[in-house]
Amino acid sequence: MSTFYVTTPIYYPNSEPHAGNAYTTIAADVLARYHRLKGNKVCFLTGVDEHAANVYNAAKKEGLSPQAYCDKIAPTFVKLWERLNISHDIFFRTTSDLHKRGAQKFLNVLYDNGDVYKGKYEGYYCLSCEEFFSEKELTDEKICPVHKLPLQWLEEENYFFRLSKYQDRLLAHIHENPDFVYPVARRNELLNFLESGLQDVSISRASLSWGIPFPFDPEHIIYIWIEALSNYITALGYETSSEHYQTFWPADVHMMGKDITRFHALLWPAMLMAANLPLPKHIVGHGWLTKNGEALSKTRGIFIDMDGDIATYGVDAFRYYLLREFSFGNDGDYRPARLHARYNADLANDLGNLLNRVLGLVNKNFEAIPTPTTPGEFDDEVKEMAQTTVDKLDEHINTFAFDTALETIWEFVRRINRYIQQTQVWTLAKPETKPRMGTILYNSLEALRLISVLISPFIPETAEKIQKQIGLADFDTVAEWGCLPAGLTVSKGEPIFPRIDTKEQKQPQPEAAVSFADFQKLDLRVALILAVEPIEGADRLLKLQVDLGTEKRQVVAGIAEHYKPEALVGKQVIVVANLEPATIRNVESHGMILAGSGDSVVLATLETEMPLGTQVR
């Protein structure tokens, strides 16, 4: 049996968890659930990083000891993970004795191997990052590039780790293992930083008492990042080289936000090299979340209302939106209006209505799931697409392309909806065609069973509901066609995603204001659609050839479900002409067609024809 070890960072418990923590943890949960589905032995680690100075300061503000404060905040993470259906195997706290002993052993190894020495440190320090910044990283204002807060000047005698000694080995490792750091943008950032030269790093603090003492100098405590990174091995039982540690180390995936990638991809591997331990296989630094185009900010009241959105749409819809809406390596803009649209279009319409429709036809015409005895047109195509979907899913998840993975599954969902339409199964209830009707409905139910298996890492509650409604008592994890037993009694079927009308939706906050100068940067032009064709394997996309008067361009638009290609040819539309080129499903797109979107998509057109290339202001 193969093993799979995935981790989130351990989060600072200086306040309750936020949506950024949830985003990382849900992504790691998908990986853990997917590998369990494949039959792998999985360890999924998450937890809290308690010995931080900002935790100490937060406790002081509340008049609590640091330990009492951590004991108060740590359960809020556990509670949120339960609500988000996180399937972690270990919730680790760095105030545990297991961690303290393991971290001290790890530091002793670095010291005994000659990679720790004592010296004087002075520099600018960010309390929130718990990080010193070098001169080349500083602005004239001396503010933290992440938190935008003033940096503090610190001077003290510290212990140092010989990070510079491992620069060449780190460079070689990243070059020889191109998938060590994901995405490519993070990898390139790290290579640029490496090639500019590494400096030895301070790994102790003499001015703080809240932390783990150095094993060979109790006047110093272990710098929070050194201690925190070691949790990935101490939680497994590194101190005693336990069976759990030997089974799961090295980690397969360290998952985190992009702001802490450098610690994980440079400092952590260098320390492991110094300790002669194997390195993790993948360091994944995802993008940040914004809200309606603005950076999240407690002070400005810009936050993602997880509680409100989960109460309205359910936890699976929240998980689905986070993983489907954004390309995982890039920053993602969380828009409640888009959550609403995806809920109704993808979950209620595409998946929910398919299940209700099939169950309704089975209940109306059969006592139980019919035996498939009469194959016909489209059956083989559906079965082949089922296998293709399984194969593609593995490829996408292995490259952390969660959005593409879900789109691949939903292409199959939409294919089964078309299968129902193409076969007009509701017309086949007469005795002479009823065996064919039974076969079509069996295939549709088997497709739904397979879909439930494939979506289970992403939206596990929904997967279980589908299987219960189609008559399976225990959750079936087999991702192969033909495993649904005939003869099961299906339920009448409660809607798994009841449609939510706009009037029931909470009113979204106003979009962020855009200055007129920023608006003028957009080059909007009148264009004529010359030709349109579908894109293979992408049900929602069309490839358009448009004429801007002075040039012709190719544009990809997500309007296939709302417009037939032949209906678009000859239309005048408005194109964003100065948009950066993008590659979508391996097709280049040089611009964007303007459209209004909600529950449906409507192109922005002109009341009367205008000369091609006319600028729209």
Side-chain angles (χ1 to χ4, degrees), residues 112-137:
D112 292 344
N113 289 350
D115 285 314
V116 172
Y117 64 92
K118 202 171 189 179
K120 185 178 180 182
Y121 192 86
E122 55 184 29
Y124 284 98
Y125 186 77
C126 174
L127 187 63
S128 297
C129 290
E130 302 272 0
E131 179 183 1
F132 281 102
F133 288 90
S134 63
E135 287 293 331
K136 63 186 177 185
E137 298 174 282

Side-chain angles (χ1 to χ4, degrees), residues 10 23 31 65 68-69 90 140 164 183 216 295 331 345 353 464 486 499 580 601:
I10 45 175
Y23 186 35
L31 295 178
S65 70
Y69 183 81
I90 303 173
D140 291 340
S164 60
F216 46 83
D331 292 349
N353 284 351
E464 289 183 7
R499 187 174 177 82
E580 287 185 354
V601 172

Side-chain angles (χ1 to χ4, degrees), residues 474 520 546:
D474 299 315
Q520 284 189 308
V546 300

Side-chain angles (χ1 to χ4, degrees), residues 533-568:
E533 60 182 289
I535 295 174
E536 185 177 355
D539 290 349
R540 294 188 174 185
L541 300 179
L542 293 175
K543 180 169 65 175
L544 287 68
Q545 306 300 326
V546 300
D547 186 353
L548 286 154
T550 57
E551 61 175 316
K552 293 180 174 64
R553 291 193 190 180
Q554 177 173 286
V555 177
V556 174
I559 57 175
E561 291 186 314
H562 306 276
Y563 290 92
K564 293 182 178 179
E566 58 271 20
L568 291 169

